[in-house]
Amino acid sequence: MATRIPDEVPDGGWGWVIVLSAFLMSALVFGVIRSFGVFFVAFVEYFSEASSTVSWITSTAIAIQQFSSPIASALSNYFGARSVVMLGGFLSSLGLVFACLATNLVHLYLSIGLLSGFGWALVFTPSVAAVSRYFNKRRTLAMGMAFTGVGIGSFVFSPLFQYLIDEYMWRGALLVIAGMMLNLMVCGALIRPLTLKEDLVRATAPGEGSLCCQGARNVIFDLLDLSLLRHWPFLTLVLSVTLINAGYFVPYVHFVAHAQSIGFDEYQAAFLMSVAGVMDLIGRLLSGWFSDLRKMRLVHILILWTMLTGLSLLAIPLGHTYPVLMLIGMAYGFCAGALTPVVFSLLPEIVGIGRIYGALGLLQMLESVGGLLGAPISGWLRDATGNYTASFVVAGTFLLLSSLVLIGIPGALSCSCLPPARHPQTKNAKEEEEEEEEEECKSMADSNGSGLEVQCVPIEPSSIACRNTVVA
């Protein structure tokens, strides 16, 4: 029996369960990553290594999580998001278990950075794509709600991790977190596959669908959606997000250490990150709500939040008293949280919802350069200067440069408040699109020497094998 294809994106229904699942996953993935600054101090003291060397633990995990995203996208296209996310949850937990046994930093690079980082890639990319596929009109709000898990995770995990370190040392703390990571498998089980009209593909005729030689290369090319590498607006967004990444995570690695270095105790420093996490949550919700009002183009909103985030980073070294540093941390948390759902809502408007898996994978992979270099550069500047002033200045500069790059995205220089054409189409527009698909299929059939009719058939994103279905 053919799979029923909905006329339009559901914009609700089971999508809200997907949002809940993504909320919990974002808390357990990026909430943990952002709170790892608490372990930073413990690792420096235990291993007696330089700040720049220890910084590679978090940076490697972030880079692997992003660089492995195309693999997560390809696996999601083949096996479905549910299975991939559940596997990622298991690997994330296993990496932290191995980290408990570490005797040097290399072990932490391999366990947390490589194994857990790869697991987080298998969790994050499919979950974000699933939310995008279930929403259209309320996509940014849904994204904001899903990503509020990051803010809540940061608020809860920073003091919790400090408590666990005090009670069980850092090895015991990592073991407890490993148990928490197993909940990612439960979240993955909630993801229900959804087939959209954008998933229509051309079935190949018998004898033309061989998966060897050129056919296999075509399948890999299609799984990874490498044609996006010739898509200029997409590449512009990738460059901008890469620059954002180079500075975005620096406070989550060094803000706690900076606060301690200027005289505040460890719990005061950890509380700064908790408050920033709360503001991050508020920023995501308000940004999602405002963006869906369509009073401004998404690209304009992203430019605004990116610029304000950069300015807040530049202001961190000016916070010499606890109230001032608290206010700056709140401003950073709000702005940093506000820009995140806008990035992931702008992406399907640029490439189309049918290519969201491949686009997310490539975006995460290419932006990993920023995540890999950001924290180590910050740590190196701290070792070279003796404080974190230069680290936060450089991080803020990266985000300001990113806001300039965003001007290159189509529509960025337009003063119109109307949204781009990717959002809800009128009936006439839909009919025109269907007619274009029918004409394309007919032209393919005419050029097919086998004399067999080539049809457009729907497939589940979870089964790439359907791409080679023989159509009678």
Side-chain angles (χ1 to χ4, degrees):
M1 179 180 294
T3 303
R4 180 182 178 275
I5 309 298
D7 293 333
E8 57 185 17
V9 177
D11 251 334
W14 191 261
W16 295 116
V17 178
I18 304 295
V19 170
L20 174 62
S21 175
F23 167 84
L24 296 173
M25 286 187 281
S26 64
L28 289 171
V29 174
F30 283 100
V32 169
I33 291 176
R34 287 184 169 195
S35 302
F36 236 75
V38 177
F39 284 92
F40 178 84
V41 178
F43 289 153
V44 169
E45 294 177 353
Y46 184 86
F47 294 105
S48 300
E49 295 284 354
S51 299
S52 57
T53 306
V54 176
S55 297
W56 279 99
I57 299 172
T58 306
S59 293
T60 302
I62 295 172
I64 293 297
Q65 180 267 317
Q66 294 172 337
F67 193 79
S68 302
S69 291
I71 300 177
S73 297
L75 291 175
S76 297
N77 281 328
Y78 198 96
F79 297 105
R82 176 182 293 168
S83 301
V84 174
V85 171
M86 294 179 71
L87 174 62
F90 174 75
L91 294 179
S92 302
S93 176
L94 186 63
L96 290 170
V97 170
F98 287 157
C100 301
L101 308 175
T103 57
N104 56 59
L105 287 182
V106 175
H107 294 160
L108 294 178
Y109 295 156
L110 295 176
S111 57
I112 298 176
L114 183 61
L115 188 55
S116 291
F118 182 68
W120 290 331
L122 298 184
V123 170
F124 180 73
T125 303
S127 63
V128 174
V131 174
S132 295
R133 293 175 64 82
Y134 267 89
F135 290 89
N136 189 355
K137 296 179 182 179
R138 293 178 284 185
R139 181 179 293 145
T140 312
L141 177 60
M143 285 289 184
M145 294 176 67
F147 286 134
T148 53
V150 179
I152 292 178
S154 299
F155 176 75
V156 174
F157 291 156
S158 288
L160 174 62
F161 290 176
Q162 186 63 58
Y163 170 78
L164 292 175
I165 292 174
D166 292 342
E167 290 293 321
Y168 307 110
M169 306 299 291
W170 63 267
R171 295 183 189 274
L174 288 176
L175 189 60
V176 173
I177 298 171
M180 295 167 53
M181 284 294 163
L182 292 176
N183 289 288
L184 291 172
M185 300 180 67
V186 180
C187 296
L190 295 175
I191 298 179
R192 179 184 295 174
L194 175 68
T195 303
L196 302 174
K197 284 188 175 181
E198 288 82 356
D199 298 320
L200 296 176
V201 296
R202 180 174 67 91
T204 58
E208 297 181 1
S210 175
L211 291 181
C212 62
C213 302
Q214 183 64 31
R217 288 195 294 270
N218 285 341
V219 169
I220 295 174
F221 190 90
D222 191 47
L223 278 171
L224 299 178
D225 210 350
L226 297 180
S227 61
L228 286 170
L229 297 178
R230 299 192 297 267
H231 194 289
W232 175 249
F234 172 73
L235 292 178
T236 303
L237 180 64
V238 167
L239 176 59
S240 174
V241 176
T242 301
L243 291 172
I244 290 176
N245 251 28
Y248 187 91
F249 290 101
V250 169
Y252 295 100
V253 179
H254 292 146
F255 196 23
V256 172
H258 168 69
Q260 293 184 19
S261 70
I262 59 177
F264 303 113
D265 63 49
E266 55 191 20
Y267 280 98
Q268 285 180 311
F271 186 68
L272 287 173
M273 287 307 305
S274 295
V275 173
V278 173
M279 297 306 299
D280 179 288
L281 183 154
I282 297 173
R284 290 168 192 263
L285 289 176
L286 291 181
S287 175
W289 168 77
F290 177 75
S291 298
D292 283 341
L293 293 178
R294 295 291 163 176
K295 300 297 183 182
M296 296 174 60
R297 290 179 179 268
L298 284 181
V299 65
H300 293 160
I301 297 173
L302 182 57
I303 291 172
L304 174 64
W305 291 130
T306 303
M307 187 177 300
L308 291 177
T309 305
L311 292 175
S312 64
L313 281 172
L314 294 176
I316 288 179
L318 303 178
H320 299 296
T321 63
Y322 196 73
V324 173
L325 195 61
M326 176 73 74
L327 289 174
I328 296 174
M330 292 171 65
Y332 169 77
F334 183 88
C335 297
L339 71 85
T340 304
V342 182
V343 170
F344 292 104
S345 293
L346 181 61
L347 182 60
E349 287 195 348
I350 291 177
V351 303
I353 192 62
R355 309 177 74 180
I356 188 63
Y357 277 111
L360 267 174
L362 291 174
L363 172 63
Q364 291 278 294
M365 181 189 73
L366 296 174
E367 70 172 344
S368 65
V369 176
L372 179 64
L373 298 179
I377 290 175
S378 176
W380 177 80
L381 290 171
R382 190 270 176 212
D383 292 336
T385 62
N387 57 58
Y388 290 95
T389 299
S391 301
F392 290 113
V393 169
V394 171
T397 302
F398 278 131
L399 273 91
L400 293 179
L401 289 175
S402 173
S403 64
L404 296 178
V405 173
L406 287 170
I407 296 176
I409 292 179
L413 297 179
S414 173
C415 296
S416 172
C417 294
L418 295 175
R422 286 283 181 191
H423 263 267
Q425 298 174 313
T426 64
K427 182 177 180 181
N428 291 335
K430 289 183 179 180
E431 291 176 350
E432 291 176 1
E433 183 178 341
E434 291 174 358
E435 291 175 359
E436 290 176 359
E437 291 175 356
E438 291 177 0
E439 291 176 0
E440 182 179 355
C441 291
K442 290 179 181 178
S443 64
M444 290 178 179
D446 293 339
S447 62
N448 184 12
S450 64
L452 295 175
E453 181 182 0
V454 181
Q455 300 178 3
C456 286
V457 297
I459 65 165
E460 290 283 351
S462 61
S463 179
I464 193 64
C466 294
R467 298 177 187 271
N468 293 301
T469 302
V470 177
V471 180

